[in-house]
Amino acid sequence: MSLIVAVSSLSGGQGKSTTSLLLALELAARGRSVLVVDLDPQGDLSAWLEADPLQPGALELLLKKGEAAECIQETAIENLSVIGAGDRLDSAQLYLSGRTAPALVLRQRLAPVVKDYDYLILDTPPARSLLGVTALGAAQQVVISAEASGKGIASLDRTRELLMEMRDDEATEAQLVAVIPFRLKVIGRNIVGKCAAALEVFQEELGDLLLPSLLESEQIAAAATNVRRLEGALAEPIVTLADRLEGKE
């Protein structure tokens, strides 16, 4: 059975695209078929996966200028495919604003290919927008990536608020299943002050939703840019997230 997961955060620099990619790599390495849909106009995920911007992508999918299967590109990674963001994805906002139910558009467009994948991972925009709304409308489960900082706390709160509003309006049935703190700064065995304070807030607010943190690390940054699966202790947050999605906890 397929699972559609949105990785969301309503501010930039929260590790959303990094989390999306590392999760996709972990699931693909487990032999799961994974489709990543890049809905972030910045297109980092598309660039990392070397999606061809001249091929139909998320914009064409949303505007129904191409069938879902025509918008999918294979990657160099076994079991991993992508629908790229393209250069003009922002222009989908105008189209979505004219739809009666924009939250349903992506769900409807992806429907013909959902059964072909074990997981569909939606990398959402880092702002409150109709692209984000249609992503959350399509999702069954939501993962929030939030920097261990005051900005991250604010982003987490705004993202949860949007999800709750959409659930109240019956625009989505998606459930928040996990929050991953991002860019946690550690010196020796000690968490740097502001990060420690933010992590304490996360722990108080989130309980079991809170997963281990992705550390501030050149290795993690390099894993994303080089499209390489994390291993060892640094991989714990992503492995834990994948286990949760697969019901292995």
Side-chain angles (χ1 to χ4, degrees):
M1 186 173 178
S2 303
L3 183 63
I4 305 176
V5 181
V7 182
S8 186
S9 196
L10 294 188
S11 295
Q14 302 298 305
K16 176 183 54 58
S17 296
T18 298
T19 299
S20 296
L21 176 62
L22 295 176
L23 174 61
L25 292 172
E26 175 64 28
L27 291 169
R30 297 182 182 197
R32 310 295 183 255
S33 55
V34 181
L35 174 63
V36 173
V37 184
D38 191 356
L39 294 162
D40 184 346
Q42 296 179 88
D44 288 341
L45 195 53
S46 298
W48 293 334
L49 291 173
E50 299 183 339
D52 185 348
L54 299 180
Q55 296 299 313
L59 177 63
E60 289 75 18
L61 176 69
L62 291 168
L63 272 56
K64 215 171 184 179
K65 291 186 175 180
E67 296 299 323
E70 299 171 338
C71 299
I72 296 171
Q73 299 181 44
E74 299 305 315
T75 74
I77 308 300
E78 187 177 4
N79 301 319
L80 182 55
S81 305
V82 62
I83 295 179
D87 295 332
R88 299 179 295 109
L89 181 54
D90 262 333
S91 63
Q93 294 282 126
L94 181 60
Y95 173 80
L96 291 169
S97 70
R99 305 297 295 180
T100 304
L104 301 180
V105 172
L106 183 62
R107 184 192 312 176
Q108 294 167 346
R109 301 290 191 264
L110 286 173
V113 299
V114 167
K115 65 182 183 301
D116 298 330
Y117 297 92
D118 295 313
Y119 291 93
L120 290 84
I121 299 174
L122 315 179
D123 184 25
T124 65
R128 185 166 180 141
S129 68
L130 289 177
L131 280 170
V133 165
T134 202
L136 292 177
Q140 297 162 293
Q141 296 187 357
V142 176
V143 175
I144 297 176
S145 176
E147 187 180 55
S149 66
K151 182 181 178 181
I153 293 170
S155 181
L156 171 64
D157 290 343
R158 289 198 301 273
T159 308
R160 293 175 74 191
E161 180 180 286
L162 174 58
L163 179 59
M164 286 188 288
E165 287 177 8
M166 289 184 64
R167 285 180 54 83
D168 288 345
D169 292 340
E170 299 183 349
T172 186
E173 296 181 355
Q175 298 273 0
L176 177 61
V177 296
V179 175
I180 292 189
F182 178 67
R183 209 178 283 145
L184 187 73
K185 299 178 183 179
V186 177
I187 298 176
R189 295 185 177 182
N190 299 315
I191 300 173
V192 173
K194 291 183 179 179
C195 288
L199 194 60
E200 186 174 333
V201 172
F202 288 162
Q203 290 167 339
E204 290 176 356
E205 290 188 3
L206 298 168
D208 291 341
L209 288 173
L210 188 67
L211 297 190
S213 303
L214 280 169
L215 303 182
E216 183 174 63
S217 164
E218 292 182 1
Q219 290 173 269
I220 291 177
T225 55
N226 295 320
V227 193
R228 188 175 66 243
R229 181 187 177 204
L230 280 180
E231 296 181 351
L234 288 176
E236 182 187 3
I238 299 300
V239 171
T240 304
L241 174 57
D243 285 347
R244 177 166 296 188
L245 296 178
E246 298 217 277
K248 293 183 177 180
E249 283 192 318

